[in-house]
Amino acid sequence: MVKRARVRAPELVGKGGWINTGDKELSLTGLRGRIVIVDFWTFCCVNCLHVLDELRELEEKHRDTVVIIGMHSPKFVHEAEHQAVVDAVERYGVEHPVLDDPDLTTWKQYAVRAWPTLVVIDPEGYVVAQHAGEGHAHAIERLVTELEAEHAAKGTLRRGDGPYVPPEPEPTVLRFPGKALPLPGGTFLVSDTTRHQLVELAEDAETVVRRIGSGARGFADGAAGAASFNEPQGLALLDESSVVVADTVNHALRRLDLASGAVTTLAGTGKQWWQGSAATGPAREVDLSSPWDVALFGGKVWIAMAGVHQLWVYDPAADTVAVAAGTTNEGLVDGPGEQAWFAQPSGLAATADRLWVADSETSALRWVDLDGQVHTAVGTGLFDFGHRDGAAGQALLQHPLGVAALPDGSVAVADTYNHALRRYDPATGEVTTLATDLREPSDAVLAGEDGADILVVESARHRLTRLRLPEEAVRVAGVAHRTQRAATDVAPGELRLDVVFQAPAGQKLDTRYGPSTRLLVSATPPELLLKGAGADPELSRALELNPAVPEGVLHVSAMAASCDDDPENPYPACHVHQQDWGVPVRLTEAGVDRLPLVLAGMDEAPTS
């Protein structure tokens, strides 16, 4: 029998209440005898969405022994609204119970520091593993199999149906649409994301002309009724006869033939890109990662690669893909494309000389010039957001997902979590509000012969809404927020940073081609770190914190590669584990001098 560290799991608490249980209250006590996996997630986070998809196979295979509980732990103010969580659970096809914890009560009880984090609880109610980030499904699958055998032998395993109760389907024409595109004939193409289809609407933006895709989650080329998508999002005209589609959860670009409705694959393999994978090459041989939007700029299709915080390009002439901007580090850094940082870019719009980018996790409007330089028009970073008009340097957005170029050279922004349509004017440097009382707008496109109408994709109202562009925008009183996470009290001076990583059972660190781990550390403000910034293979590092800086954020990015530990196998299966943390810290003499961050395993060292 495997010997494991055992820590009693705190009860699950969330004042928002339970979703997907038929209004039934659940408890860990009531789930005793089942293996429980608690998934700490928030619906803005693309890494959390990746984990939802990673868990689908495990959830189905072990449905009679495993109960997955989604613990929704919000970052943005909008994510603390219960109806928004209910919508997100349906939007992303979550087929397990979810507890809405708007105050982060359970997050604090489990000492969670990152989205996503997975906690495994055995049938007797003890925590036996914790994993931060993506790529852990294989390790959890092995652990679940071991726990099933161990507790079946002890008589402490209880099999049976789980507590999941699906919601009643709603008969709307669209269901959580993502993006829209005006077609040459005057109609509109919409990505009907939750139904895994594309829908062509008539000029009234309401009447269905045709549906493309089977409606079942899948990855298959073919005729309009047989092809399948997986949560498609962005759309762009490739030429007068075809559209390129960002097929987000399939990690692919697809081509729609407008005449026949046939669908083919342009780029991607259907597998998610991981650190170390090829990032350039033949389009159908390179993995992509959650492409969220597409736009034609400079003769190439630019891709908002939300899953890796980058912009990529697809070259139709050469039939290749390549990275255009971004390092895969998450944040807001301007400059040459190869040095810039993005944070989940999710919306694109091109003009003759600029590619506008809705950079959602930094609540920012960015742009790329013809030389590949990245600039920021609105936004300050990962932790500041709100609804404030005025000069761009102090204006605030909240998780925007879409952007549209307007006829006068200004830009409309689908300010998603503010339920608003905003406008940035490069000529004046001013941000104003065009419309409010929308519901999670995710895109906007021009409509009408004079270009004075704009169609807004109201994702959470399941419709396209036509607005007349006002001659003067409405100014909104300013509201500002910061991410509400409790700061960790740390002592000034030396702080020991330990990223805890234990290779899954039957695996070891992969050192065949050099170091298999990487740790990158930085801070906001940079002056917080006197020593310890930068990259290094070791997962532990001595930091020195500046006593003159009372508070800030430590940014930590860790990666570890592990492979099957079988000397007889010349081609062992390997896995990459990675996670980014943003840890708010407050310097105080009574604070701790060690900061453990669990990538995989359990932290068993005492913290002073």
Side-chain angles (χ1 to χ4, degrees), residues 50-128:
H50 290 166
V51 167
L52 287 177
D53 290 303
E54 288 178 3
L55 291 175
R56 292 187 199 278
E57 184 177 349
L58 182 148
E59 192 169 23
E60 181 60 34
K61 183 177 179 181
H62 299 272
R63 192 170 289 280
D64 66 333
T65 59
V66 171
V67 175
I68 297 176
I69 302 292
M71 181 59 60
H72 191 268
S73 311
K75 171 186 175 181
F76 289 98
V77 169
H78 171 58
E79 293 174 305
E81 298 175 16
H82 183 69
Q83 186 57 48
V85 182
V86 172
D87 288 345
V89 167
E90 181 187 351
R91 181 196 305 266
Y92 297 117
V94 179
E95 296 185 355
H96 52 249
V98 172
L99 181 55
D100 179 13
D101 182 18
D103 297 331
L104 301 179
T105 302
T106 302
W107 167 287
K108 296 169 187 173
Q109 285 291 311
Y110 280 78
V112 174
R113 298 184 184 275
W115 297 280
T117 290
L118 296 166
V119 175
V120 182
I121 301 170
D122 74 11
E124 294 179 285
Y126 290 94
V127 175
V128 293

Side-chain angles (χ1 to χ4, degrees), residues 294-471:
V294 282
L296 200 62
F297 179 62
K300 297 179 180 179
V301 176
W302 284 64
I303 310 164
M305 202 71 78
V308 285
H309 316 299
Q310 290 180 311
L311 302 180
W312 287 35
V313 291
Y314 164 67
D315 186 338
D319 198 24
T320 58
V321 292
V323 176
T327 64
T328 75
N329 293 320
E330 185 179 13
L332 193 154
V333 176
D334 290 339
E338 67 273 12
Q339 299 174 16
W341 291 21
F342 294 91
Q344 213 169 301
S346 301
L348 300 176
T351 64
D353 60 354
R354 292 187 181 187
L355 179 72
W356 293 99
V357 183
D359 201 28
S360 62
E361 279 294 286
T362 54
S363 297
L365 175 64
R366 319 278 296 276
W367 55 281
V368 182
D369 64 26
L370 291 172
D371 295 326
Q373 293 279 325
V374 178
H375 311 261
T376 297
V378 183
T380 60
L382 286 165
F383 300 96
D384 295 293
F385 57 91
H387 191 163
R388 188 162 64 198
D389 285 343
Q394 58 87 48
L396 293 172
L397 309 170
Q398 186 181 179
H399 198 79
L401 290 178
V403 61
L406 300 181
D408 65 354
S410 64
V411 184
V413 180
D415 193 6
T416 309
Y417 288 2
N418 280 327
H419 309 300
L421 188 68
R422 313 286 293 283
R423 174 177 176 263
Y424 167 68
D425 186 351
T428 63
E430 289 283 310
V431 175
T432 50
T433 297
L434 295 173
T436 57
D437 298 321
L438 302 168
R439 186 66 187 171
E440 291 193 14
S442 56
D443 197 18
V445 295
L446 292 177
E449 293 183 2
D450 58 0
D453 287 356
I454 193 164
L455 275 180
V456 180
V457 180
E458 279 198 89
S459 188
R461 283 203 179 111
H462 319 293
R463 71 187 188 192
L464 272 58
T465 299
R466 188 183 296 265
L467 303 173
R468 189 73 174 174
L469 286 173
E471 293 184 7

